[in-house]
């Protein structure tokens, strides 16, 4: 790896919001470290799009919940470069009423969002601190701001991520490391494909779902020089469904 290049590590970037963020950051001149868990074909397709822009894309296949796998993958990365941007995007939902939720659904969702944030961020932070610069963007959710029935696990995970964002911003601000969260509402992705769309759009003042690219635009802004005095904030991208 060329250590003089600007690198961005995006987790869960083989599809949806993560893929849009990776492509957007590549368009802004970042070489991409693309994490994904299982879908090789989807990850390679995103990588090819990144490379078509003249940027490099390194595929990093690991589960963010698996501490040894995270360490093994990032050991190799950090020996060659210091990512200037980290986007913690990996996540999933297993919805259900709390009274009927099993332990696997609870621990699985919290594990990906919170343990995943911890496992990846703690490995990247020391290098950013030594360089005295960096941007960390955590992908939260309106569910973590308001609470959503049937999503106690997901709401808890995303609310925890928002709290972690604010606390970490206070810890590392003096090192010129900015930490923010982006909180999407209803976005057109695989995760929302089975939701009652017409019913939910009626609740949104803009009367539509957002796009992954619209979320990516906000992440790109937070990773740009224009956002140099923004840290510890939650930027909501929800069409006005929560104000």
């Amino acid at each position: 790896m060329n250590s003089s290049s600007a690198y961005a590590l995006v987790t869960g970037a083989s599809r949806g919001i993560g893929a849009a963020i990776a492509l957007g950051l590549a368009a802004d001149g970042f070489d991409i470290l693309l994490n994904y868990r299982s879908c090789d074909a989807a990850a390679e397709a995103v990588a090819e799009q990144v490379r078509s822009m003249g940027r490099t894309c390194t595929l990093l296949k690991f589960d963010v919940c698996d501490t040894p796998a995270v360490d093994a993958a990032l050991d190799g990365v950090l020996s060659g470069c210091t990512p200037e941007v980290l986007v913690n995007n990996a996540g999933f939902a297993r919805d259900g009423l709390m009274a009927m939720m099993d332990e696997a659904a609870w621990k699985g969702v919290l594990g990906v969002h919170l343990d995943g944030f911890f496992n990846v961020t703690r490995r990247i932070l020391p290098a950013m601190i030594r360089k005295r610069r960096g941007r960390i963007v955590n992908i939260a959710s309106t569910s973590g701001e308001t609470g959503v029935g049937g999503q106690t696990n997901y709401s808890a995970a995303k609310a925890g991520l928002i709290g972690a964002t604010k606390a970490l911003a206070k810890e590392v601000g003096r090192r010129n490391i900015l930490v923010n969260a982006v909180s999407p509402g209803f976005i057109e992705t695989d995760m929302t494909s089975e939701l009652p769309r017409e019913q939910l759009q009626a609740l949104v003042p803009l009367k539509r779902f957002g796009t992954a690219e619209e979320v990516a635009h906000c992440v790109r802004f937070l990773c740009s020089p224009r956002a140099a005095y923004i840290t510890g904030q939650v930027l909501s991208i929800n069409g006005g469904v929560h104000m």
Side-chain angles (χ1 to χ4, degrees):
M1 291 181 181
N2 180 2
S3 60
S4 65
S5 298
Y7 286 90
L9 169 57
V10 186
T11 68
S14 64
R15 60 181 184 171
I17 290 172
I21 291 169
L23 293 172
L25 291 174
D28 291 339
F30 288 93
D31 290 322
I32 303 300
L33 305 169
L34 190 154
N35 160 256
Y36 69 105
R37 185 176 65 88
S38 59
C39 189
D40 297 317
E44 186 57 47
V46 177
E48 285 302 312
Q49 292 182 71
V50 169
R51 293 166 188 150
S52 73
M53 300 179 195
R55 310 313 310 174
T56 68
C57 186
T58 303
L59 296 179
L60 301 173
K61 185 177 182 179
F62 61 83
D63 185 339
V64 296
C65 295
D66 185 339
T67 304
V70 173
D71 290 344
L74 295 185
D75 279 346
V77 167
L78 295 175
S79 66
C81 72
T82 299
E84 293 192 6
V85 167
L86 167 61
V87 182
N88 287 300
N89 170 74
F92 79 112
R94 286 187 63 182
D95 296 349
L97 297 176
M98 181 72 173
M100 295 180 285
M101 186 176 293
D102 60 26
E103 186 177 9
W106 176 260
K107 288 188 174 180
V109 170
L110 266 70
V112 168
H113 294 93
L114 296 181
D115 293 345
F117 159 79
F118 173 76
N119 287 338
V120 177
T121 305
R122 74 184 180 95
R123 293 305 313 276
I124 301 300
L125 260 181
M128 286 184 172
I129 289 171
R130 286 193 296 272
K131 293 283 189 178
R132 300 186 70 88
R133 68 175 184 270
R135 305 291 176 93
I136 298 173
V137 181
N138 300 316
I139 305 303
S141 168
T142 302
S143 182
E145 296 181 272
T146 67
V148 173
Q151 286 194 325
T152 303
N153 51 358
Y154 191 74
S155 293
K158 292 300 193 181
L161 195 57
I162 289 171
T165 297
K166 293 176 177 292
L168 184 58
K170 291 182 177 180
E171 290 182 14
V172 299
R174 65 185 180 276
R175 297 287 185 173
N176 196 36
I177 300 169
L178 310 183
V179 188
N180 292 288
V182 168
S183 182
F186 297 117
I187 305 298
E188 295 176 359
T189 66
D190 291 345
M191 189 178 291
T192 60
S193 62
E194 297 183 4
L195 295 179
R197 183 161 180 161
E198 290 187 7
Q199 177 182 343
L200 293 172
Q201 285 183 159
L203 304 176
V204 181
L206 295 188
K207 302 304 179 186
R208 66 175 179 87
F209 280 16
T211 68
E213 289 72 24
E214 287 172 322
V215 178
H217 288 321
C218 296
V219 175
R220 294 167 67 180
F221 166 69
L222 290 172
C223 296
S224 75
R226 297 179 181 87
Y229 200 55
I230 300 174
T231 194
Q233 304 304 307
V234 180
L235 185 57
S236 297
I237 314 301
N238 60 33
V241 74
H242 170 62
M243 302 183 186

